[in-house]
Amino acid sequence: MKLHPVKVHPSKALLKREDQLAWKMAGVAVDKVAVEKPVQEMIINRIIDNASVAIAAINRRPVVSARGMALGHAKKAGGAQVFGVKSATTVSPEWAAWANGTAVRELDMHDTFLAADYSHPGDNIPPILAVAQAMGKSGRDLIRGLATGYELHIDLVRAICLHEHKVDHIAHLCPAAAAGIGTLLGLKQEVVFQSIQQALHTSVSFRQSRKGEISSWKAYAPAHAGKLAVEAVDRCMRGEGAPSPIYEGEDSVIAWVLAGRSNRKDVYGPVYYEVPLPEAGEPKRSILDSYTKEHSAEYQSQALIDLAFRMREQIKDMEAIEKIIIHTSHHTHYVIGTGANDPQKMDPKASRETLDHSIMYIFAVALQDGRWHHVDSYAPKRAGRADTVRLWHKIETREDAEWTRKYHSRDPNELSFGGRVEILFKDGSKLVDELGVANAHPNGAKPFGRADYIRKFQTITDGIISTRESNRFLEVVQDLAKLKAGELSALNVALPAGGLLDSKPGIF
C-alpha cells in the first residue's frame, strides 16, 4: 500500500489528473491484478451475508416500498433481478440496486469496517451485482468488481473522516461502487475517473439521517448511493465528464465540506489526508480487514452485546442494579451513547432505527434476555416493558481515552470496538468486565467462517423461503467463480408465490 497525500489546490495550480485522488483510484480499478483465493472466498461469504439479511427484511415497509418503486421500472432486456421476486422479472439495474440495497441495509446486520470513518462495505454488492446481471457478466467478473469496490471503500474509510464534519458515510460508498462497476465492465481509466468524480459529487449528504428521529432513510441512503453510482457510470460511458478535481479543487468536497473548512484562512496550507491505495500489481485484500455482524444492531454494540450476555450470568436480581456505566470510545459515546444527547435514544416509543442506535437500550435488553433477535429484541412490546425501561434509564456512557485510542489503532491486534462496563448495585457492590471485540470478529472468541455465514442465512431466512430455494442458492453461490456470462441471475433469492407484500401506490 502507498499513502497518497490529498489536499486542496487553487484552480490556477492546474493540478495534473495524475496527481488527483480520483485518477489514482481509477488506476486501482483498472489494474488487472489477480484476485487472491482468500479474497474470493470472503466475497462469497459476504454475498451470502447480504442475501440473508435482505430476505429476513423482505416484507418490512421500507423494503416493500423500495421494491414497489423498482418494479415500476421493468426492463426485460438488460435488466437485473430484485430480491424476493422470481428471477424472470427484471428491472433497470439502477432500480435493482435501489431495491436490493434497501433490503440489505434495513436490519443493520451485514458487514462493517471502522477506522477514520464508518462503513458497511457490503453496500457495494447490490449496485455492482445489478450491473453484472444486466450486462450479462460472469462470476469471475463479479468477483473482480467487488474486490475493487471493497478495496477503495475501505481505503477511503481508513483515511478520511466524514463523521467529524457531519457528512453521511455514503460519500465514500458511491465512488467505490462506481469504481467497482468500472472494474466489472473493463472500462478505461478515463471513464472510471469521471465516474468516481460524478459519484462523489452527487452523493454528499449529512448525518441527520442517523441522528434524532432516525427514519427509514437510514436504510435508503446507501441504496440511493448505489443507484447514483450506476447512473454516474452510465453517463460517463456515454462520454460525459464530471466536476474536477472533485477531492482537491478550490470549491471541492474537501475545501468546503471536509478538512478544508477548518483551515479556510489558509485553505491551500498543510491540511490534507493520506489515503492508502494498492500499488500497481498489488492484490486488493482490504475485504479481509472487514467483519460482519452476528447481532442486528450498530457495530459498536456487537462486543457490548456479547459482554452483556457474559455479565448477566453473575447477576441474580436486575432490580438490585443502581447504575450501569459503559466506558467506551469517542465514537460509541457520541453516536450511540448518551453523548449523542438524543432523548429519542431513551424513548420506549422510538423507532427500530433509533433503538438500534441506542447502546443504552441494547445493553439493557441483552442483559435481561441473554439473546438478541433481529425482530423480537426491537418489538414495541419489548421496548416498552416497564422493567426494561427502568434498567435502560440507569445506563450511561462515558468516553474513555484508552478505548478511543484502541478504536483508532492501526495495529489489527489492538483495534477494539467494545468497552468496559461497571454495574453498580444498590448494596454498594460492583461488577466490572470488559470486551474489546465481538465474538464474531476475526480476533474474537468465535470468528465467523463459511459455516457461520451459512447458518446465519438459514436461521434468519427460515420460514420465509423454501428449503429448496435455500439449498439452491447456497450451492450456486459457493461456486461463484464457475458461473458463466449471463448466469448471475442464479444469485437472486425468490420467495414462494404469494409471499411478498405489495407496497402502497406511488408515482411509478
Side-chain angles (χ1 to χ4, degrees):
M1 300 286 278
K2 180 180 178 181
L3 290 177
H4 299 271
V6 183
K7 57 177 258 183
V8 177
H9 294 260
S11 297
K12 64 182 180 182
L14 299 175
L15 185 65
K16 296 179 181 178
R17 64 173 43 185
E18 292 79 10
D19 295 326
Q20 296 176 30
L21 177 61
W23 180 264
K24 295 172 183 178
M25 291 168 61
V28 173
V30 301
D31 188 354
K32 298 185 183 300
V33 61
V35 180
E36 295 178 335
K37 185 68 173 178
V39 172
Q40 293 189 41
E41 291 301 309
M42 189 58 74
I43 286 172
I44 291 171
N45 288 344
R46 300 306 169 77
I47 293 175
I48 295 171
D49 205 41
N50 269 23
S52 66
V53 297
I55 296 302
I58 204 69
N59 279 324
R60 291 178 61 83
R61 182 182 50 78
V63 181
V64 173
S65 296
R67 181 169 63 246
M69 295 173 73
L71 291 174
H73 295 81
K75 194 173 192 292
K76 289 187 177 180
Q81 279 71 32
V82 175
F83 272 133
V85 181
K86 60 181 181 180
S87 294
T89 299
T90 55
V91 302
S92 192
E94 77 276 22
W95 286 99
W98 164 256
N100 294 340
T102 303
V104 165
R105 192 68 183 86
E106 167 64 13
L107 288 178
D108 204 346
M109 201 179 174
H110 62 325
D111 67 16
T112 304
F113 179 77
L114 304 172
D117 204 65
Y118 321 123
S119 66
H120 297 284
D123 291 334
N124 284 278
I125 295 176
I128 297 173
L129 174 57
V131 174
Q133 290 173 334
M135 300 296 283
K137 293 299 179 178
S138 69
R140 290 191 179 277
D141 295 328
L142 177 62
I143 288 169
R144 289 178 53 77
L146 291 176
T148 291
Y150 267 87
E151 180 64 48
L152 292 177
H153 193 174
I154 290 172
D155 291 343
L156 289 170
V157 172
R158 293 186 201 274
I160 300 177
C161 182
L162 302 171
H163 174 264
E164 67 177 313
H165 303 288
K166 309 308 177 188
V167 175
D168 195 19
H169 53 60
I170 66 166
H172 287 332
L173 165 64
C174 197
I181 294 169
T183 299
L184 169 82
L185 299 180
L187 302 179
K188 293 182 179 179
Q189 188 168 357
E190 167 69 20
V191 178
V192 182
F193 167 61
Q194 299 293 357
S195 300
I196 289 170
Q197 296 194 112
Q198 274 206 24
L200 175 59
H201 182 68
T202 59
S203 65
V204 174
S205 60
F206 299 94
R207 284 195 63 85
Q208 192 60 41
S209 62
R210 302 172 199 282
K211 189 171 177 64
E213 295 182 13
I214 302 177
S215 74
S216 56
W217 189 253
K218 183 168 70 71
Y220 285 136
H224 189 230
K227 180 175 181 290
L228 292 173
V230 177
E231 294 170 343
V233 176
D234 180 86
R235 287 189 293 266
C236 294
M237 287 174 67
R238 299 174 190 273
E240 301 307 317
S244 181
I246 194 60
Y247 285 102
E248 302 93 344
E250 195 169 88
D251 289 332
S252 67
V253 173
I254 290 178
W256 284 101
V257 182
L258 303 182
R261 292 189 63 205
S262 63
N263 198 33
R264 287 305 305 173
K265 292 182 180 179
D266 183 24
V267 72
Y268 311 120
V271 175
Y272 64 92
Y273 299 102
E274 288 189 321
V275 180
L277 294 175
E279 298 194 69
E282 183 178 355
K284 303 175 179 72
R285 308 186 78 248
S286 283
I287 188 175
L288 301 178
D289 294 332
S290 60
Y291 21 83
T292 195
K293 294 179 178 179
E294 184 174 7
H295 313 299
S296 177
E298 173 75 9
Y299 193 81
Q300 288 98 320
S301 68
Q302 299 293 301
L304 290 168
I305 290 174
D306 290 333
L307 182 57
F309 294 165
R310 189 165 78 191
M311 295 184 79
R312 77 184 299 273
E313 299 300 322
Q314 301 177 64
I315 302 173
K316 294 181 179 179
D317 180 9
M318 295 290 173
E319 294 295 338
I321 295 173
E322 178 73 30
K323 190 173 187 178
I324 298 176
I325 304 171
I326 301 175
H327 301 269
T328 188
S329 68
H330 174 93
H331 282 287
T332 305
H333 174 58
Y334 284 103
V335 175
I336 64 173
T338 49
N341 292 316
D342 284 349
Q344 295 88 351
K345 294 188 188 303
M346 308 301 285
D347 184 357
K349 295 182 180 179
S351 68
R352 183 197 190 280
E353 291 83 359
T354 295
L355 294 177
D356 75 15
H357 276 57
S358 170
I359 191 57
M360 294 72 68
Y361 173 77
I362 291 166
F363 194 83
V365 173
L367 197 64
Q368 287 183 326
D369 294 356
R371 66 186 287 267
W372 197 264
H373 190 271
H374 63 286
V375 176
D376 297 346
S377 296
Y378 294 107
K381 186 176 180 179
R382 182 68 195 80
R385 234 174 68 181
D387 62 329
T388 298
V389 176
R390 285 195 299 273
L391 180 61
W392 174 5
H393 289 187
K394 295 175 182 177
I395 301 174
E396 68 175 75
T397 63
R398 295 181 185 174
E399 180 182 357
D400 183 291
E402 179 62 10
W403 284 99
T404 297
R405 186 191 67 78
K406 290 192 289 187
Y407 186 102
H408 292 293
S409 175
R410 293 182 178 273
D411 180 352
N413 294 316
E414 188 180 47
L415 195 62
S416 299
F417 309 112
R420 176 172 59 87
V421 174
E422 288 183 287
I423 301 180
L424 310 176
F425 294 93
K426 293 176 182 178
D427 65 3
S429 60
K430 181 190 298 186
L431 176 62
V432 181
D433 201 353
E434 64 180 58
L435 188 62
V437 295
N439 292 340
H441 187 274
N443 293 335
K446 299 177 182 178
F448 251 46
R450 176 64 55 80
D452 298 294
Y453 286 98
I454 290 174
R455 185 182 67 253
K456 180 177 174 179
F457 176 86
Q458 292 172 330
T459 298
I460 67 176
T461 64
D462 183 44
I464 302 175
I465 61 175
S466 68
T467 301
R468 180 178 180 180
E469 177 69 348
S470 175
N471 292 339
R472 180 204 64 78
F473 169 75
L474 290 171
E475 180 179 355
V476 74
V477 72
Q478 292 183 81
D479 280 333
L480 177 59
K482 296 181 180 179
L483 291 181
K484 298 177 182 178
E487 294 183 344
L488 292 178
S489 61
L491 297 181
N492 187 49
V493 180
L495 267 66
L500 291 173
L501 296 181
D502 293 327
S503 72
K504 292 180 179 180
I507 295 173
F508 304 126

